[in-house]
Amino acid sequence: MPCFPSQIVPRSRAVAARERIRTRLVAFLSRLDGAGAAHHVVTERSDDALATRLMDAFRVTRDPDVFEGLIEWVRPQLRGRVRARLRRLGAKLDAEEVWQDTIVNIYRYPDRFLADRAGAFAAWSSTIADNVIRRMLRRSRRDVSVCALDPELLQRHRDAAAPEPGRQVAAREECAAADEALGLLLQAYLACFAQLSKRERAVLEMVEVQQLRYADIAPRFAVRADALKMVVFRARKRLHDRLRRALQSGAVGGRVGPASGPLEAAFA
């Protein structure tokens, strides 16, 4: 197949531009090495080796200039890997969003990077991209239909931080039970609070809701501050005793029967 100059020049320019980026980044890293900033230096001149060296320098220095150089260098390859994975999965996800989330995670977790070989960054960043895709698939509720096309790819780099499905279900059930228990507790509290005297309700509201001082409240009821403290103490005790009895009898929100679960444990 013949090649025309118009087809050759753009590629030649791209190659030349990338070589200029390489030269600039290598010079930049050499200055860091001279200052003793980078501890793990990879000497190979491959693309992967330079990316690994940049990532390790960022891990050590947290220098934003190093990170910008890293992203500038790996952008074409890493974006290509993201698109290839999405095509292979048949996933209808936004490649740009996956790319951005991947970069954010690379920036947030440099301590997890180990520069033990020239291709360390390529493998590590691919794992991060796979985990980002997994999380997005779970959020979009398309895990089953998409992963059925190629389940091995996403299983290869499982997200160790993600809880198992069984634990997620158990956590949701526990949250639902806690919400129900809290609702019952609030109903019981309001019912018992309404049974206090008008003065007790007023004093408790001033002390516990309005956060007023005893010295400021006492003159309103023509008592001393220490006497008002005793009023609050007795009101709280009556409220607590009535609340305990209501929960233990199950007479909350129209329910009948012994209390159980978180409420019983809280007031046992």
Side-chain angles (χ1 to χ4, degrees), residues 7-104:
Q7 296 174 308
I8 297 174
V9 172
R11 179 175 176 80
S12 300
R13 288 177 179 172
V15 172
R18 188 157 179 81
E19 189 58 34
R20 286 195 296 272
I21 294 174
R22 171 191 286 277
T23 301
R24 176 167 56 83
L25 292 176
V26 169
F28 178 58
L29 287 174
S30 297
R31 292 196 297 273
L32 290 179
D33 296 343
H39 300 329
H40 298 283
V41 177
V42 182
T43 58
E44 293 88 344
R45 287 182 54 81
S46 69
D47 288 359
D48 287 345
L50 180 55
T52 296
R53 186 176 176 189
L54 285 164
M55 184 64 216
D56 197 45
F58 176 66
R59 179 188 65 80
V60 174
T61 65
R62 298 297 198 277
D63 189 332
D65 292 335
V66 176
F67 187 76
E68 288 181 10
L70 168 68
I71 299 308
E72 181 182 18
W73 180 248
V74 304
R75 188 188 309 271
Q77 293 88 349
L78 187 52
R79 268 185 166 170
R81 286 197 292 270
V82 167
R83 292 194 184 96
R85 278 162 166 71
L86 293 179
R87 283 196 302 269
R88 186 175 177 185
L89 286 168
K92 299 186 182 302
L93 297 177
D94 186 349
E96 186 64 23
E97 185 179 359
V98 174
W99 153 257
Q100 292 292 342
D101 281 9
T102 300
I103 294 306
V104 168

Side-chain angles (χ1 to χ4, degrees), residues 183-254:
L184 293 174
L185 177 61
L186 292 175
Q187 290 181 41
Y189 182 89
L190 290 174
C192 295
F193 183 79
Q195 296 174 20
L196 297 176
S197 68
K198 184 177 180 180
R199 186 172 94 156
E200 288 173 332
R201 293 199 302 270
V203 170
L204 284 180
E205 181 177 355
M206 291 179 185
V207 171
E208 298 184 345
V209 179
Q210 301 178 27
Q211 300 290 308
L212 299 178
R213 297 185 306 169
Y214 288 103
D216 297 329
I217 302 173
R220 302 186 189 186
F221 295 92
V223 297
R224 298 189 311 275
D226 55 348
L228 185 66
K229 291 181 181 179
M230 184 58 63
V231 172
V232 172
F233 172 78
R234 290 173 178 170
R236 285 173 175 167
K237 187 174 187 307
R238 271 194 285 272
L239 180 60
H240 182 272
D241 291 342
R242 289 172 179 172
L243 184 58
R244 180 192 295 275
R245 288 195 297 271
L247 294 174
Q248 290 177 342
S249 67
V252 179

Side-chain angles (χ1 to χ4, degrees), residues 132-149:
V132 168
I133 293 173
R134 288 173 57 87
R135 286 192 291 271
M136 287 187 174
L137 289 175
R138 285 197 297 269
R139 286 200 300 266
S140 63
R141 299 180 181 275
R142 292 196 292 264
D143 259 316
V144 176
S145 60
V146 174
C147 292
L149 299 177

